[in-house]
Amino acid sequence: MPPLDRFRKLIKHLRVVVRFCACDMFDETYTMFNPFFMVLLLCLAIYTVCFINTIYDGFVINNDWTIILQCLAVGAMAVQAISKYLCYYSHRITLRKMVKHLDNIYEEYQSRGTRYEYALKKSLQKIVKCLKVAGGIYFTTVIGLIVLPIIYMLITGKRELSLTALIPGIDPKETVGYFIHTGFHSAIILFSGVGFFASDTIMFSMLLHVLLHRDIMVAKFYDLNEITEQDDKSAERSRPSLNDIIAWHQKYNLFMEYIEELFSGIIFVHITTSCVSICSTLFCIVLKVWPFAPLLLISNTSMYAYCGFGQLLATTNDDVTRMIYEVCIWYRLEVKEQKMILLMLRKSQYAVELTVGKIMPLNFNTALQLSKGIYTYLMVLINFLE
């Protein structure tokens, strides 16, 4: 199958997933006020009522302050879901521009030679592999969140709920009430899992196309080098190829700007709420008020995954800077052309990078610093209790 058809098939599959959540931002006629989204808002309102009822029942009636920690752990995930929808909706035009931009790239470069075709196919293979890994993680987590409380009950005889959302008027301590809550929570977990997977697949599939831009630039530099190797080194032969490379570098920078515009808000909310969720969950485990705390896995994994993609983009920017100097045999070019390469080299040193709210760069070092901060916070709380 040609790369263009495979890319369009990938987008088609992504749209199937996002339609399940009534959030098909790829559709140019999409509006927030559609029947499916109204149903989604109704479900969110029901969950909010149950969430408030949980805080009232635990903190006000039973005087159990630890319920606040449990609610923070789960509420952070709800904030992530809402923020992701709002960010995608407010920047839906940018998302469509990115898809159109990529569609044009696949259409143009799939017939420009083996180097470019190989770059397109390699990009699609990486994206598909990444989405399969993400799908496996989300599937495992969703099944674990649904099944783990039942397994815990069968082993210990104690009844624990996956989420902190008590239905008013139904006692979860009774057998019937417990299974009603479990079914209600399972439906929420299933729908939320698909929603998070849909959001992250859009993000990951767009971010990984930065590698495609880098690989195509490498191929263009090799084409330029082949031209400069010939005996006839006139500017008329190399100038069109060099202009094409400069134009492509501008497209690369534009794509990076699209990424920053679309995902910067999502990243900030996701990282901060993940830290809150991890802190609350760990503290619940220490206090033994929420023994299995299954949200810890997905919060930790997603935080490191986001930081990992930030590191990938930073590394790609460094690769582009390095290839301009190392892959391009610039000393074979004329002086005017060398100055053009120098301008492109300077521009590449100030490429767009993802950050966490303009406070710190999004990379593995940030993930480690956040982990240390979470550990320090946990130790302070434990010492405070002692």
Side-chain angles (χ1 to χ4, degrees), residues 86-372:
L86 293 177
C87 285
Y88 279 124
Y89 184 78
S90 60
H91 297 98
R92 60 192 184 280
I93 296 177
T94 302
L95 177 62
R96 294 165 194 162
K97 286 181 180 178
M98 293 176 71
V99 174
K100 182 64 177 177
H101 171 83
L102 293 173
D103 189 88
N104 292 336
I105 290 175
Y106 279 95
E107 185 176 11
E108 177 182 356
Y109 287 93
Q110 67 178 358
S111 58
R112 286 190 57 171
T114 55
R115 284 176 181 160
Y116 300 97
E117 185 179 5
Y118 174 74
L120 297 175
K121 290 181 178 179
K122 185 173 72 170
S123 174
L124 288 169
Q125 288 175 354
K126 289 180 179 179
I127 293 171
V128 171
K129 185 180 296 184
C130 176
L131 297 187
K132 286 181 178 179
V133 172
I137 293 174
Y138 273 105
F139 177 79
T140 304
T141 305
V142 167
I143 296 301
L145 287 168
I146 295 174
V147 175
L148 196 57
I150 299 176
I151 296 176
Y152 183 80
M153 181 187 66
L154 294 175
I155 295 175
T156 64
K158 298 179 181 179
R159 294 171 181 170
E160 294 286 348
L161 298 175
S162 297
L163 302 179
T164 52
L166 300 181
I167 304 174
I170 299 179
D171 188 1
K173 296 180 181 179
E174 297 179 357
T175 302
V176 176
Y178 173 75
F179 282 105
I180 291 176
H181 277 85
T182 300
F184 175 61
H185 292 174
S186 298
I188 294 175
I189 291 169
L190 179 62
F191 186 82
S192 301
V194 176
F196 276 108
F197 176 68
S199 171
D200 287 346
T201 50
I202 294 174
M203 182 176 181
F204 296 162
S205 58
M206 294 297 108
L207 290 178
L208 285 173
H209 272 104
V210 174
L211 300 178
L212 173 63
H213 286 72
R214 180 201 62 186
D215 293 341
I216 289 180
M217 183 175 288
V218 172
K220 288 180 178 290
F221 274 127
Y222 282 135
D223 289 345
L224 177 63
N225 292 340
E226 290 177 356
I227 293 175
T228 57
E229 282 179 356
Q230 301 174 11
D231 294 335
D232 182 9
K233 301 179 182 179
S234 63
E236 288 75 13
R237 293 179 59 84
S238 59
R239 185 64 59 83
S241 180
L242 181 58
N243 290 338
D244 185 40
I245 292 174
I246 294 174
W248 181 257
H249 187 246
Q250 292 174 346
K251 287 184 179 181
Y252 171 83
N253 291 325
L254 177 63
F255 190 73
M256 291 293 292
E257 291 174 2
Y258 283 157
I259 287 177
E260 184 186 33
E261 178 183 351
L262 181 58
F263 300 120
S264 58
I266 295 175
I267 290 169
F268 174 71
V269 175
H270 186 93
I271 296 298
T272 52
T273 53
S274 292
C275 291
V276 172
S277 180
I278 293 171
C279 289
S280 302
T281 305
L282 288 173
F283 202 36
C284 287
I285 293 176
V286 172
L287 296 176
K288 299 180 181 179
V289 296
W290 204 13
F292 47 89
L295 289 175
L296 183 62
L297 172 64
I298 190 170
S299 297
N300 237 328
T301 303
S302 62
M303 185 183 73
Y304 272 88
Y306 273 55
C307 291
F309 278 99
Q311 180 71 55
L312 178 67
L313 263 64
T315 303
T316 304
N317 286 335
D318 293 340
D319 290 342
V320 170
T321 302
R322 187 167 53 253
M323 78 173 63
I324 293 174
Y325 185 77
E326 295 181 357
V327 177
C328 175
I329 307 179
W330 51 268
Y331 49 82
R332 290 178 180 170
L333 301 172
E334 295 185 355
V335 175
K336 290 183 178 179
E337 295 175 335
Q338 291 180 13
K339 291 180 179 179
M340 296 169 65
I341 293 291
L342 180 60
L343 290 175
M344 187 167 58
L345 182 62
R346 289 178 178 174
K347 177 65 176 177
S348 68
Q349 294 173 345
Y350 300 97
V352 175
E353 292 186 357
L354 294 178
T355 61
V356 183
K358 304 293 184 180
I359 300 173
M360 58 184 72
L362 187 72
N363 51 36
F364 281 131
N365 183 54
T366 298
L368 292 175
Q369 294 299 323
L370 291 174
S371 297
K372 291 179 181 178

Side-chain angles (χ1 to χ4, degrees), residues 44-64:
L44 181 62
I46 294 173
Y47 177 77
T48 303
V49 171
C50 296
F51 190 78
I52 296 174
N53 179 63
T54 304
I55 298 177
Y56 178 79
D57 180 77
F59 186 69
V60 178
I61 297 179
N62 296 320
N63 197 27
D64 180 14

